[in-house]
Amino acid sequence: MLAIIATNLTRSPARTIFTAGGIAVGVATIVALLSFTQGLRNTAAGLVHLGGSGLGVFQANVSDPTASILPEATVTKLAARPYVAQATPLLLIVEGVKSDPSAIVFGADPKGFFTKSLVLVAGSAPSTAQQILVGDHMAAELHLHPGGVLEVKGRPFPIAGIYHSGILYEDSGAVLGLAQAQQLTARVGEETDVVAQLAPGTRASTAGPQIEHDFPGTQVISDPQQALRAGANGTLISKAILVIVVIALIVGAISVANTMAMSIIERQGELALLSTVGWSPTRVSSLIFGEGVAVSTLGAAVGLLVGVIGAGLLVDALGASTYVSPAVTAWGLGRGLLVGVAIGVLGGIYPAWRVTHMTPLKALAGT
Amino acid sequence: MSEPAGAAVFVDRARKSFGRVSALREVSLKVDPSEAVAITGRSGSGKSTLLSLIGGLEQPDEGRVLIDGRAIWTEPRPARARREVVGFIFQRHLLLETLSAQSNVEVPLIGAGIHRRERRRRALALLEEVGLAERAEHLPAELSGGERQRVAVARALANEPRLLLADEPTGALDSSTSERVLDLLFGLRDRLGMTMLVVSYDHAVGARADRTVALIDGKLAASSETALPAS
C-alpha cells in the first residue's frame, strides 16, 4: 500500500510539488510566527525583571505596558508595604532615539536599585542631571562612547558612561535621570511603572494579587506570560496568530481536498479496477486518504525547515531584531507538523468518502 | 467434501436498465461448475452488463444472480465476496501504468491482505504460469499488447478465483496474439477447473467454449436458453 501511495505521488510530480509547496508555505508561516511569539515571550521576560526586580506594577487595561501611566506617589506607597523590600519608579521613553527607534530610554531614579544595578564598563556615573548612560549593546550598534552625545527626543545628552546589565531591553537602551525624562516628555509627576524587589520569603505569585487589590487600576507583571497578555497589542498578536493558523488549516485542507478530488476523477477507472479486483471501499479510501496525508506531511516537513529560516527573516522584516530573537522550540515545530498533518487528514476526508460511493461498472466504462 | 474448482452460476430473470435504456430483459442462464461459456451478441446487446451482474459489479433491477447460491451484491461485504470467487479480465488490460508487471499481479493480493513476501511469491509464480517471469519488473508501457493481456490474466488468477469473467479479452489484439491468449485462458481452465464466461465477437472463442449463448437486444436468443451444457 505504501509503495502504491509513493508511486502515485510521483506519477504527477508537478501537482505533488505544488500541493506540498502550498502546505509548506502555510506550515512555514505558522512555525515562523510561533518562533516569533516565543522570542517575544523571552524578551518579555526581560521587561518583567528590569533592574533585577521581582515584579513590575503597571496601569491596568493599557494597549501596551509601555503606554502605562502611574502617579509618582505610587512608588512611596508601594515601598511602604511589608511584602516589598525596595521599589523604584521608571519612565519609559519609546521611539525617543531617532537613530534607533526600537531602543527604550529609561528615566530612573539615580538612587534607586535600577540605576545601582547597572555595571559601568566604560566612563563614569553621571555627574550632572544632563548626562546620560548608554547600554553596551546600543553603544556598539550606534558607535557611541563616553564623551559623545546621544540625542533623545531631539535633545542632545552628553554620554557619561557605558553600562552592562545582562537584560537585553536595558543594554539596548539608555538611562536618564527620572526628573530629566519627565521634563523631556512633559510628564512631570508621572511614571510608567514601578519595579519592586520583594521582601525575603515573599513570592511574586502571592504579592501580585495583593498589590492589585491594594492599588486599584494597576496590574502586576511577574512572569513573561503575563507580560505578553498585559497589553492589548500582545493579546492582538496571539489572536492574530491563532487566526492565521486556522486560515492556513482551512485553505490547506481545501487545497488538498481539491487536488485529491481532481486526482480521483482522473483515476476513477483505476480506483474502480481496485474495487473490481476485491479491494474493499475502506481500503480504496485509505489509499486516497494516505496520499493526502503523505503529500501534506511532505509539505509540512519542508515547511518546518523554511519556517525556521523564515522566523529570522520575519523578525528582520518587522525591524524587531534588536529585541526579539526568534526562538524555535520543539513544541512550536510539533504544532507546525500537527497543522500540516491535520491539513492532509481534513483534505483527504471528502475525496476518500467520494471513492466509497463510486460504482465500479460506471467508472470502468469511462476508461 | 472438498469445494469444486469451479463455481455454479445461476441467473434468474434478471433485468437491468440504465435510465430509459433496457440493457437486459428477463435473462435466465445457468452455468455449471467448470463450464466454459462464450457469450456473443452485437454491440449494445447487453453482454458486458450480464457479465457485470454475474461478477457483482452491478445489482439487477429485478431477478436474481447467484454464484454458488450466493448473491454477491447483497453480501455484507461485496468486495470481499467478489475477491473470494471472481476474477476479471477486460478488453483493455487496465493495468496500473506506474506499477511493474509483478506489482500489478500483486494488487488483488494487497486487497486480500496477503503478506508482502507471500504476495511476491504468488505473483512471480503466476507470471511464470503466463510465460512472463522474465518481464516481472517491466512497466506496462514496456510490454506488448499480448504481454499486457497475459499480465491481466495473471492478475485475474491471483486470488485463485472459481469463476473467471473475461470481457472481450482478445478484442484489442491481433489474430496471432489473440490465439496465444486464448490458448492460455482455455489451457488454464482445463488445468485449474474454474468456471469461465467469455464475452467475445471472436468465433475462435465460441469454437473453444463448451457452449455459446447469444444475446439479442438484452434477451437471450431462444437457441441459447435451450442449449445444454457440453460435458
Side-chain angles (χ1 to χ4, degrees):
Chain A
M1 180 79 111
L2 289 176
I4 295 179
I5 288 173
T7 309
N8 287 341
L9 291 181
T10 54
R11 76 160 73 184
S12 182
R15 174 186 290 172
T16 303
I17 288 169
F18 280 121
T19 309
I23 293 163
V25 169
V27 170
T29 306
I30 291 164
V31 169
L33 288 173
L34 290 175
S35 303
F36 177 66
T37 47
Q38 184 59 40
L40 275 179
R41 198 167 287 130
N42 293 348
T43 306
L47 184 67
V48 170
H49 301 295
L50 288 173
S53 61
L55 53 80
V57 182
F58 293 80
Q59 181 186 359
N61 304 319
V62 285
S63 63
D64 187 273
T66 59
S68 157
I69 297 174
L70 294 176
E72 202 168 16
T74 309
V75 66
T76 319
K77 292 178 188 170
L78 188 66
R81 300 285 158 173
Y83 46 79
V84 172
Q86 295 185 77
T88 188
L90 290 178
L91 180 71
L92 273 51
I93 303 173
V94 294
E95 297 182 357
V97 180
K98 204 173 178 184
S99 49
D100 187 0
S102 55
I104 296 176
V105 177
F106 299 88
D109 177 1
K111 293 175 185 169
F113 71 84
F114 177 88
T115 308
K116 285 180 181 170
S117 72
L118 304 175
V119 177
L120 284 174
V121 292
S124 58
S127 54
T128 70
Q130 307 301 321
Q131 288 182 314
I132 195 167
L133 289 171
V134 175
D136 56 354
H137 201 278
M138 178 192 248
E141 286 280 315
L142 302 181
H143 309 292
L144 302 173
H145 48 80
V149 169
L150 177 67
E151 273 196 16
V152 181
K153 292 269 180 192
R155 202 168 133 189
F157 288 91
I159 300 170
I162 309 295
Y163 66 83
H164 176 77
S165 71
I167 295 171
L168 188 61
Y169 269 119
E170 293 176 30
D171 292 340
S172 301
V175 176
L176 200 56
L178 180 63
Q180 197 66 42
Q182 288 171 330
Q183 224 170 34
L184 190 64
T185 54
R187 287 171 63 183
V188 176
E190 292 176 355
E191 56 214 18
T192 305
D193 67 323
V194 176
V195 289
Q197 288 179 337
L198 297 173
T202 306
R203 285 191 300 183
S205 57
T206 52
Q210 187 63 50
I211 292 171
E212 287 176 354
H213 176 263
D214 294 348
F215 297 85
T218 63
Q219 63 177 335
V220 172
I221 300 175
S222 59
D223 68 52
Q225 287 288 356
Q226 283 177 330
L228 269 185
R229 283 198 301 266
N233 294 344
T235 310
L236 198 64
I237 289 170
S238 300
K239 286 185 177 170
I241 287 170
L242 180 67
V243 168
I244 290 168
V245 168
V246 171
I247 289 173
L249 196 64
I250 292 170
V251 172
I254 290 172
S255 160
V256 170
N258 179 52
T259 305
M260 298 313 297
M262 278 170 57
S263 173
I264 62 167
I265 288 168
E266 286 171 13
R267 293 160 50 199
Q268 58 181 334
E270 173 189 318
L271 299 171
L273 178 84
L274 296 178
S275 176
T276 303
V277 300
W279 279 40
S280 65
T282 311
R283 194 178 285 271
V284 180
S285 303
S286 302
L287 178 70
I288 297 299
F289 193 69
E291 286 177 21
V293 172
V295 78
S296 57
T297 305
L298 184 71
V302 175
L304 294 182
L305 191 67
V306 175
V308 171
I309 299 165
L313 299 175
L314 178 70
V315 170
D316 284 343
L318 293 173
S321 55
T322 309
Y323 290 111
V324 182
S325 298
V328 180
T329 61
W331 176 224
L333 293 174
R335 276 187 285 181
L337 187 64
L338 272 177
V339 168
V341 174
I343 285 171
V345 170
L346 291 176
I349 288 173
Y350 168 69
W353 171 84
R354 196 174 154 157
V355 163
T356 62
H357 289 76
M358 276 182 12
T359 308
L361 182 63
K362 283 182 188 165
L364 283 172
T367 60
Chain B
M1 198 170 80
S2 65
E3 202 172 34
V9 178
F10 182 58
V11 182
D12 181 24
R13 289 168 290 174
R15 283 175 176 269
K16 184 70 189 174
S17 298
F18 297 102
R20 292 181 183 178
V21 180
S22 276
L24 286 180
R25 295 186 278 187
E26 278 210 18
V27 170
S28 295
L29 177 69
K30 182 172 175 290
V31 181
D32 290 332
S34 303
E35 192 180 4
V37 175
I39 302 171
T40 64
R42 297 169 66 175
S43 179
S45 60
K47 306 183 297 293
S48 297
T49 304
L50 176 61
L51 216 58
S52 301
L53 294 187
I54 293 171
L57 297 181
E58 282 282 343
Q59 186 176 21
D61 298 333
E62 288 177 35
R64 292 182 302 163
V65 177
L66 304 176
I67 311 298
D68 281 342
R70 294 161 66 188
I72 289 181
W73 190 266
T74 56
E75 291 274 323
R77 287 189 279 182
R80 180 177 176 172
R82 203 155 49 227
R83 184 173 71 221
E84 287 171 352
V85 182
V86 187
F88 286 92
I89 302 166
F90 303 94
Q91 178 180 359
R92 289 177 58 223
H93 50 80
L94 297 182
L95 298 179
L96 304 183
E97 295 293 337
T98 52
L99 300 183
S100 68
Q102 181 192 312
S103 297
N104 265 286
V105 178
E106 284 185 42
V107 165
L109 300 170
I110 295 172
I114 307 288
H115 189 268
R116 189 176 174 180
R117 190 174 296 173
E118 175 63 9
R119 285 203 312 260
R120 283 180 64 85
R121 190 192 66 73
R122 279 163 71 167
L124 283 171
L126 284 163
L127 286 172
E128 179 85 46
E129 183 95 52
V130 299
L132 287 174
E134 77 285 1
R135 311 281 270 166
E137 294 304 321
H138 286 69
L139 293 172
E142 298 165 340
L143 303 172
S144 69
E147 286 173 330
R148 288 179 209 166
Q149 198 59 302
R150 279 150 66 192
V151 174
V153 170
R155 181 182 63 192
L157 296 174
N159 282 323
E160 299 171 352
R162 292 168 47 242
L163 172 62
L164 193 61
L165 303 175
D167 192 353
E168 301 189 36
T170 58
L173 304 176
D174 62 57
S175 56
S176 66
T177 310
S178 295
E179 199 66 23
R180 284 203 295 277
V181 169
L182 290 178
D183 283 346
L184 174 66
L185 275 178
F186 282 91
L188 286 167
R189 197 290 304 247
D190 290 344
R191 204 154 52 74
L192 303 175
M194 81 282 270
T195 306
M196 193 162 78
L197 274 78
V198 186
V199 164
S200 183
Y201 294 106
D202 192 345
H203 291 298
V205 174
R208 290 168 183 249
D210 298 328
R211 74 180 154 119
T212 300
V213 296
L215 274 167
I216 301 170
D217 295 334
K219 297 187 78 169
L220 277 184
S223 59
S224 303
E225 291 181 88
T226 55
L228 290 170
S231 60

